[in-house]
Amino acid sequence: MTTGLGAVFRPQLPPERLREIVRLADGTGLEELWLWEDCFREGGISTAAAALAWTERVNVGVGLLPVPLRNVAITAMEVASLHRMFPGRAIVGVGHGVQDWMGQVGARVESPVTLLREHLLALRTLLRGERLTTDGRYVKLDDVALDWPPADPAPPVLAGATGPRSLRLAGEAADGTILTASTPPEGVRRARQLIDEGRESAGRTEPHRVVVYLLAATGPDASARLRAELAAEGVASVRDLGVAGDAGAVAKAVQRLADAGADTVVLQPTGDEPDPEGFVRFAAEEVRPLVP
């Protein structure tokens, strides 16, 4: 099975840079370009819709939409609209959000995992075109159904997860999982085990896609930029986290994650990447041919 490859448009870039970069991804044959809804930068759905409208073939991922900010009916309406306008090209993931950010906007909840579970179950139900009434701890819907649900089959909904509880929940209630760039190959193997535990508990047997971000840097100052980014995140060693070097080195790091259980690896440039367009071209034209 071929390993999927993508790249991230980091939200440290202003929104007006997106058009050129996403059209470059489309033109160079990159499979996926991923966007983030980080507070308080670009909106995930608005940028995804623009990116899809500007392109013809590249898939556009949103990882993640923080569910404390979003009523599940709005999430379902927006995701359904993307899939009806751009069938098969939108990839949407949801997560419980960065708790400090959620606190800043008055959206922090006592049990983020409970909220994520309720949101996932309701979102997937609505995207299947079903009518739903539910009275959960956080998600409350009274006879709600979408007038314009996506075409059958319903699009997959991915969940961002890190800890054991959220990974098991992803297996139980989501169609795929997104892992951060802080996940080494052994972490991917462990995540797969926990996801499978959740799938087994829910009696789910369909494929479950695992997407992993990989912090990557290339060019003459690649190693220094990678070390600086990891140090800023409190990581003392670059061992198994991130890769700096040419296309061969990056492709080997991608393969290590794929061997550990990743279906798709998304190359995440450093926050100070000097040439975002060049990074996308590097991923598509130099790394992609080396990844089986």
Side-chain angles (χ1 to χ4, degrees):
M1 181 177 175
T2 302
T3 303
L5 189 73
V8 176
F9 175 89
R10 289 191 62 146
Q12 285 86 351
L13 295 171
E16 57 268 26
R17 295 287 300 275
L18 177 61
R19 182 173 184 172
E20 182 177 356
I21 290 173
V22 74
R23 294 182 73 173
L24 178 64
D26 202 50
T28 54
L30 190 67
E31 294 109 289
E32 299 178 3
L33 187 78
W34 282 75
L35 311 171
W36 296 349
E37 190 168 75
D38 273 3
C39 295
F40 300 93
R41 298 183 170 116
E42 291 96 346
I45 296 294
S46 56
T47 49
L52 289 161
W54 287 327
T55 55
E56 297 294 333
R57 49 150 304 280
V58 66
N59 293 331
V60 176
V62 183
L64 302 161
L65 299 174
V67 300
L69 292 179
R70 296 177 160 274
N71 183 287
V72 70
I74 291 293
T75 307
M77 291 161 58
E78 292 183 325
V79 173
S81 295
L82 288 182
H83 281 281
R84 289 186 70 105
M85 292 187 292
F86 311 102
R89 292 181 54 210
I91 311 161
V92 176
V94 299
H96 52 55
V98 176
Q99 296 310 296
D100 287 347
W101 288 340
M102 299 304 100
Q104 279 184 271
V105 298
R108 188 166 185 165
V109 298
E110 186 177 355
S111 178
V113 173
T114 299
L115 170 57
L116 182 57
R117 178 190 302 277
E118 293 179 358
H119 196 104
L120 281 167
L121 294 173
L123 178 59
R124 291 176 61 241
T125 298
L126 293 172
L127 291 177
R128 289 195 298 267
E130 299 175 18
R131 186 170 297 277
L132 179 62
T133 295
T134 184
D135 186 21
R137 181 174 178 181
Y138 300 110
V139 174
K140 302 178 186 294
L141 299 173
D142 181 10
D143 194 32
V144 174
L146 297 177
D147 282 6
W148 298 106
D152 188 56
V157 176
L158 282 62
T162 52
R165 287 182 64 202
S166 57
L167 286 164
R168 291 190 184 96
L169 171 60
E172 174 191 342
D175 303 301
T177 301
I178 302 171
L179 303 176
T180 72
S182 298
T183 312
E186 185 51 43
V188 177
R189 292 187 185 92
R190 178 59 178 157
R192 272 286 187 190
Q193 293 172 354
L194 292 164
I195 291 164
D196 286 344
E197 289 176 11
R199 295 174 68 217
E200 183 177 0
S201 71
R204 302 188 65 179
T205 58
E206 68 274 30
H208 186 101
R209 181 184 181 191
V210 172
V211 178
V212 185
Y213 291 120
L214 172 63
L215 186 62
T218 192
D221 60 347
S223 295
R225 287 192 289 111
L226 180 66
R227 286 195 300 269
E229 177 118 345
L230 290 172
E233 296 176 2
V235 179
S237 172
V238 300
R239 180 178 177 82
D240 290 332
L241 283 181
V243 57
D246 60 12
V250 174
K252 288 178 181 177
V254 170
Q255 190 59 51
R256 287 192 291 271
L257 292 171
D259 290 343
D263 298 300
T264 299
V265 177
V266 182
L267 303 182
Q268 174 182 320
T270 58
D272 60 353
E273 167 59 53
D275 183 8
E277 291 84 0
F279 186 86
V280 168
R281 191 178 297 279
F282 168 75
E285 298 182 349
E286 298 185 45
V287 180
R288 172 73 271 181
L290 302 179
V291 176

